[in-house]
Amino acid sequence: MTLIRQLSTPAAVVDARRMQRNIERMQSRMDAFGLRFRPHAKTAKCLPVVQAQIAAGARGITVSTLKEAEQFFEGGIADILYAVGMTPDKLPRALALCRRGCDLKIITDSVAMAREIGSFGKRHGAALEVWIEIDTDGHRSGIKPGDAVLLDAARALHDAGMRLGGVMTHAGSSYDCDSREALLAISEQERAGAVLAAQRLRDHGMACPGVSVGSTPTALSAARLEGVTEVRAGVYVFFDLVMHNVGVCTTDEIAMSVLTTVIGHQEEKGWAIVDAGWMAMSRDRGTQKQKHDFGYGQVCAEDGAVLDGYLMSGANQEHGIVSRAGEPDLGIAERFPIGTRLRILPNHACATAAQFPEYQVLPPEGGVQAWPRFYGW
Amino acid sequence: MTLIRQLSTPAAVVDARRMQRNIERMQSRMDAFGLRFRPHAKTAKCLPVVQAQIAAGARGITVSTLKEAEQFFEGGIADILYAVGMTPDKLPRALALCRRGCDLKIITDSVAMAREIGSFGKRHGAALEVWIEIDTDGHRSGIKPGDAVLLDAARALHDAGMRLGGVMTHAGSSYDCDSREALLAISEQERAGAVLAAQRLRDHGMACPGVSVGSTPTALSAARLEGVTEVRAGVYVFFDLVMHNVGVCTTDEIAMSVLTTVIGHQEEKGWAIVDAGWMAMSRDRGTQKQKHDFGYGQVCAEDGAVLDGYLMSGANQEHGIVSRAGEPDLGIAERFPIGTRLRILPNHACATAAQFPEYQVLPPEGGVQAWPRFYGW
C-alpha cells in the first residue's frame, strides 16, 4: 500500500471523504428540489469522480470539451451536454459521437449557427439535439431571455428538423458574490431568465422540454427553482478558496490540495521555498479581488490542518514562496526545515487540477490510490 | 499532409522558422562570447525543440523537474543540470539517473542539504556533482555571494567527497525590466555576483570550475560575461508578450501562438467569444503589471498577422473574450463571424505551452507536424 509520505512532490492530493461529502451535499439538495442534477465534469476530468457523482444520484454529465465527451462516453456515460457553443468545424466530431450511441446535446446562441447546425444535420440525416444558451447575467455567451433572436434560433433548428432540447444558462457572475443576499439574488436571476426564455418559446408554439441552470454558488444558494428541470455545477466536487470567499464552503470542505516539499529558505525574509510553483498551483489568482486574498494558496500541514496566516505568497514555474501574512516569520527555517511536507489549498480547483496527470486519492481506509485524469482537447 | 485549416482548436501552433531564428540568434550571441550555452528545456518540454537547440550548438540542457531529466535522458541527452533545489526525498531518483549514465548536476543553497547530499552520496558510493545556487537579485532561492554559508556548504560537499561543479544563478528579476539600461545593470549584477561567489570559493582553496548564469533577458542583454563559463535561458526559444514588454523581442519573433475559433458574439459589447479560454492560454497575466497590458493575449489573424488593438480581454475555462481595446468594435460579428480562425500570442510561453499535449508545428515547407510534449512531475 502506497502511503502519503511516499508520494513524490508536487502531487494533487484528493481527500476522498471530503469529496464524497461534497457530492452528497449537492445531490441531497437537488433531490430535495426533485430536480435532475447534471454535474460538470470539467473540474476533475476523471472517470472515478464522475462515477461517484452518478452513484450518488446524478443523471448525465456536462462537459466543456469534445475530448471530455469522448473520454466519458468511452467510460460508459452516454447522456452528455457539451456546454460550449458549437462551431461548424466541430460538427463532424459531435456527429461521430452521436453515431456511436452517445446521447450528446450541443448548444448555440446564434441564428447563423442554428442554421448551420440544421443544414449539417439534414445533410447527414441526423436530428441533432440542440439547446439554446441563454445569457442571464451578461458575463459571457448566450441570448438574452427577451431577445427576438431566441425565437429565430429555435425556429431555424425546428425548421431543419433538429430537436430543441431546451434552454440552458450559467450565471458565472455568481463567483463575484460574497453575501447570502447577493447569492440569492443571482440564483433567482439565473432561474427567472431561463424560465422566461423557455416560456417565450412555448408561447410561440415550440416545445422546450429542458430548462437547465447552474453554477456551484447558485446551485448551493437557490431558494426556489420552479420551472427548472435540471441543475449543473462542477467545482463543488473539490471546492476551493474562491468558493470559500464566495461563502459556499469552509476550508475544511476543500477536497483537493497540492502536496509539496520545502526545498530551501530565505530566512531573513521569512520565506520557505517549496517545490510547488505555478506549474503545480496554476497561475490562477482568483482570490486576488475577493475579500480575502490567499496569494497562490493557503498552507496546511501534511495532514491537512490549516496553518493560519501561512500563504503561498509568490510562485515561479517550479518554486513557491511560503510566508506568513503580515509580520515575517524569522523562524520559518526551524518551523519548516528542508524536506518538510506541506499541503496547499488552491484558489481555483479547476485550474490547479488541470496541471496534474493524476490525483493521489486518500480513501478513508488509509493509503493512497492514483486516479488518472486527462487534458488537452 | 495536414494543413493548418484542418487543425481542431484550440491548438498550440509553433512557427518553426521563427523558432529556428530565435535559436540561432541566442546561439550566435553565445558563440561570440565563446561561452557554453545550456538552454532551459522547461519552456517547451519537447525533444525535437531541444534537438534543434543542440544542432545549433547548445551543449547540455537545464531542466526544472526530474521528469524532464528522465525524459530528455531517454531522448539521448546526457548532460543535464536540474536547476531546482535538491531535497532528501528526491535523491534516490536523481541517483538512479546517474547510475543509468546521466551526467546529472544537482543544486543546493543550504548547508544542511549539502550535508544530506554528502551523507547520501557516501552511503551509496556516489560522488554526486553538485552546484551551489547563488542569489544575485533577491527574487527567489540562493546564497548571497558574500555570505559565509557559501563556504560552509561547499566544504560540506567537499568533505563528503562530492564534486563541486560550480556556482549557478538566475536573475529572474530581469523580467521586471523594460529599458536597455536596466537590462544591462541586472545582467552585470548577475554576472558579478556569480563570479564573486566562485572567486570566494577559489580563494579558500576550493575548485569551482563552473560559473553559470542566465535568464532570457540577461542572456540577450549582457555586454560582458568575463568569468562566466556557461549561460542558460529558456523562453527565448518561443518568446512571448512578457519578453516583448521587457524589450528583448518583437511580436514578429513570438514563435508560439494559440489557434482558436470564434464560437459566438455579444455584438452590443463588441465581443467575439472564442474557444480558447484560460485552459488554453493559462491564467498567466504576466503583462498586467508591465507597460503594455495584453490581457490574456494579442489577437492575430490565422496567418499570424497581428491585429492591432484586438486582445483577449477575458477568459473562462473554455471561453475567451476577444475585443478591441478602447472603443468597442460594434461590427465585430461581421469582422470575425462564427468559425473564424484567430491566433493568440501568449503572455507567457512557458505557461501557455504547458496546457497542451502537443505542438502543431508549421515548417517553412508548409503543412503541419505534431510534436509531443510532456507534463507532470
Side-chain angles (χ1 to χ4, degrees):
Chain A
M1 187 168 80
T2 307
L3 300 172
I4 188 168
R5 65 177 168 74
Q6 295 170 305
L7 292 176
S8 103
T9 58
V13 169
V14 171
D15 182 319
R17 196 185 319 230
R18 289 185 182 184
M19 182 187 90
Q20 191 59 33
R21 274 197 209 122
N22 297 342
I23 289 172
E24 285 162 12
R25 174 181 166 205
M26 181 66 85
Q27 188 65 48
S28 64
R29 198 174 146 77
M30 293 302 118
D31 290 348
F33 277 116
L35 290 175
R36 170 196 286 264
F37 179 57
R38 182 189 289 281
H40 206 315
K42 78 184 177 79
T43 301
K45 299 202 188 195
C46 174
L47 189 60
V49 172
V50 163
Q51 285 167 336
Q53 290 168 314
I54 287 174
R59 285 182 288 153
I61 61 169
T62 313
V63 299
S64 69
T65 63
L66 286 175
K67 179 161 188 176
E68 289 164 58
E70 289 158 354
Q71 295 271 323
F72 288 117
F73 179 65
E74 301 251 338
I77 297 166
D79 179 356
I80 300 177
L81 171 68
Y82 170 44
V84 175
M86 183 47 57
T87 49
D89 57 300
K90 293 195 176 78
L91 279 166
R93 197 167 161 191
L95 179 62
L97 262 173
C98 296
R99 293 252 157 98
R100 289 168 60 201
C102 182
D103 178 14
L104 183 71
K105 300 122 170 55
I106 61 175
I107 71 167
T108 189
D109 67 353
S110 135
V111 178
M113 194 58 214
R115 290 199 187 110
E116 187 104 9
I117 293 168
S119 71
F120 176 89
K122 268 169 88 168
R123 210 156 61 238
H124 292 86
L128 298 167
E129 180 174 342
V130 188
W131 291 54
I132 296 181
E133 184 171 16
I134 306 299
D135 177 12
T136 51
D137 67 349
H139 88 288
R140 192 167 78 191
S141 302
I143 299 172
K144 294 212 168 38
D147 197 321
V149 164
L150 171 65
L151 304 174
D152 296 342
R155 275 198 203 96
L157 294 168
H158 181 266
D159 292 353
M162 301 299 108
R163 290 173 292 145
L164 178 61
V167 292
M168 58 81 71
T169 191
H170 165 62
S173 63
S174 62
Y175 282 48
D176 302 332
C177 299
D178 67 357
S179 73
R180 181 90 199 115
E181 295 66 38
L183 286 164
L184 274 171
I186 187 72
S187 306
E188 176 54 17
Q189 182 180 322
E190 183 184 54
R191 183 203 72 81
V195 170
L196 170 61
Q199 197 52 52
R200 288 186 62 230
L201 291 170
R202 292 170 189 148
D203 288 349
H204 288 79
M206 285 176 277
C208 178
V211 179
S212 177
V213 303
S215 71
T216 286
T218 54
L220 290 172
S221 305
R224 51 192 287 266
L225 286 164
E226 284 87 352
V228 165
T229 64
E230 71 169 33
V231 176
R232 310 178 323 278
V235 76
Y236 80 98
V237 75
F238 289 156
F239 281 128
D240 54 30
L241 295 167
V242 165
M243 289 298 114
H244 165 76
N245 277 339
V246 167
V248 293
C249 73
T250 64
T251 52
D252 288 345
E253 291 175 308
I254 300 176
M256 196 199 66
S257 57
V258 173
L259 183 70
T260 185
T261 303
V262 174
I263 65 170
H265 306 90
Q266 295 290 7
E267 286 191 60
E268 78 291 358
K269 292 176 184 163
W271 290 359
I273 315 278
V274 297
D275 70 355
W278 59 252
M279 187 63 84
M281 300 307 302
S282 89
R283 271 290 195 197
D284 200 297
R285 288 278 293 101
T287 60
Q288 190 170 22
K289 283 185 289 189
Q290 291 186 307
K291 61 185 171 189
H292 187 152
D293 183 352
F294 286 94
Y296 282 91
Q298 169 66 51
V299 178
C300 303
E302 184 175 14
D303 67 2
V306 169
L307 300 173
D308 268 331
Y310 289 88
L311 301 178
M312 184 181 287
S313 51
N316 290 167
Q317 185 158 337
E318 298 291 347
H319 296 77
I321 296 173
V322 163
S323 61
R324 188 166 64 190
E327 180 98 11
D329 178 4
L330 301 179
I332 201 160
E334 290 72 49
R335 185 183 300 274
F336 305 133
I338 290 179
T340 303
R341 300 286 194 118
L342 299 170
R343 273 159 77 175
I344 316 290
L345 301 178
N347 281 316
H348 188 174
C350 306
T352 303
Q355 305 302 103
F356 290 86
E358 59 186 16
Y359 302 107
Q360 304 297 338
V361 181
L362 311 181
E365 64 271 21
V368 181
Q369 287 170 15
W371 286 2
R373 63 162 279 149
F374 52 87
Y375 82 133
W377 287 269
Chain B
M1 188 167 80
T2 306
L3 300 172
I4 188 168
R5 65 176 167 75
Q6 295 170 307
L7 293 176
S8 102
T9 59
V13 169
V14 171
D15 181 319
R17 193 184 323 225
R18 290 185 182 183
M19 182 187 91
Q20 191 58 34
R21 275 197 209 122
N22 297 341
I23 289 171
E24 285 163 11
R25 175 181 164 202
M26 180 67 84
Q27 188 63 49
S28 65
R29 197 172 146 79
M30 294 302 118
D31 290 347
F33 277 115
L35 290 175
R36 170 196 286 265
F37 179 57
R38 181 189 290 283
H40 205 314
K42 78 184 177 80
T43 301
K45 298 201 187 194
C46 175
L47 188 60
V49 172
V50 163
Q51 286 167 335
Q53 290 167 315
I54 287 174
R59 285 182 288 154
I61 61 169
T62 314
V63 299
S64 68
T65 64
L66 286 176
K67 180 161 186 175
E68 288 164 57
E70 290 157 353
Q71 295 272 323
F72 288 116
F73 179 65
E74 300 253 336
I77 297 163
D79 180 354
I80 300 178
L81 170 69
Y82 170 45
V84 176
M86 183 47 59
T87 49
D89 58 300
K90 293 195 176 79
L91 279 166
R93 197 168 161 189
L95 179 62
L97 262 173
C98 296
R99 292 253 158 98
R100 289 168 61 201
C102 181
D103 178 15
L104 183 71
K105 299 121 171 54
I106 61 176
I107 71 167
T108 188
D109 65 355
S110 136
V111 179
M113 195 58 215
R115 290 200 187 111
E116 187 104 9
I117 293 168
S119 71
F120 176 89
K122 268 169 89 168
R123 211 157 58 239
H124 292 86
L128 298 167
E129 179 173 343
V130 187
W131 290 54
I132 297 181
E133 184 172 15
I134 307 299
D135 177 11
T136 50
D137 67 349
H139 88 289
R140 192 167 77 191
S141 302
I143 299 172
K144 294 213 169 33
D147 197 321
V149 165
L150 171 66
L151 304 175
D152 297 341
R155 276 197 203 97
L157 293 168
H158 182 266
D159 293 351
M162 301 300 108
R163 289 173 291 146
L164 179 61
V167 292
M168 57 81 71
T169 191
H170 165 61
S173 61
S174 61
Y175 281 50
D176 302 331
C177 299
D178 66 357
S179 72
R180 180 90 199 119
E181 295 66 37
L183 286 164
L184 273 170
I186 187 73
S187 306
E188 175 54 18
Q189 182 179 323
E190 184 183 54
R191 182 202 73 82
V195 170
L196 170 61
Q199 196 52 52
R200 288 186 62 229
L201 291 170
R202 291 169 190 150
D203 288 347
H204 287 79
M206 283 175 278
C208 178
V211 179
S212 176
V213 303
S215 71
T216 287
T218 54
L220 290 173
S221 305
R224 52 192 287 266
L225 286 165
E226 284 86 352
V228 165
T229 64
E230 71 169 30
V231 176
R232 310 178 322 279
V235 76
Y236 80 96
V237 73
F238 289 155
F239 281 127
D240 55 29
L241 295 168
V242 165
M243 289 298 114
H244 166 77
N245 277 340
V246 167
V248 293
C249 73
T250 64
T251 53
D252 287 346
E253 290 175 308
I254 299 176
M256 196 200 65
S257 58
V258 174
L259 183 69
T260 186
T261 303
V262 174
I263 65 170
H265 306 90
Q266 296 289 9
E267 288 193 57
E268 77 292 356
K269 293 177 182 161
W271 289 358
I273 315 280
V274 297
D275 70 355
W278 59 251
M279 187 64 84
M281 300 308 302
S282 89
R283 270 291 195 198
D284 200 298
R285 288 280 290 102
T287 60
Q288 190 171 23
K289 284 185 289 189
Q290 291 185 308
K291 60 184 171 189
H292 187 153
D293 183 353
F294 286 94
Y296 283 90
Q298 168 67 52
V299 178
C300 304
E302 183 175 12
D303 68 2
V306 169
L307 300 173
D308 268 331
Y310 288 88
L311 300 178
M312 184 181 289
S313 52
N316 290 166
Q317 186 160 338
E318 298 290 348
H319 296 77
I321 296 172
V322 163
S323 61
R324 187 166 66 190
E327 178 100 12
D329 177 4
L330 301 178
I332 201 160
E334 290 72 50
R335 185 182 299 274
F336 305 134
I338 291 179
T340 302
R341 301 285 193 117
L342 298 170
R343 274 159 75 176
I344 316 289
L345 301 179
N347 281 316
H348 188 175
C350 306
T352 302
Q355 304 301 103
F356 290 86
E358 58 185 16
Y359 302 106
Q360 305 298 336
V361 180
L362 311 180
E365 65 271 22
V368 181
Q369 285 170 16
W371 286 2
R373 62 163 279 148
F374 52 88
Y375 81 133
W377 287 269

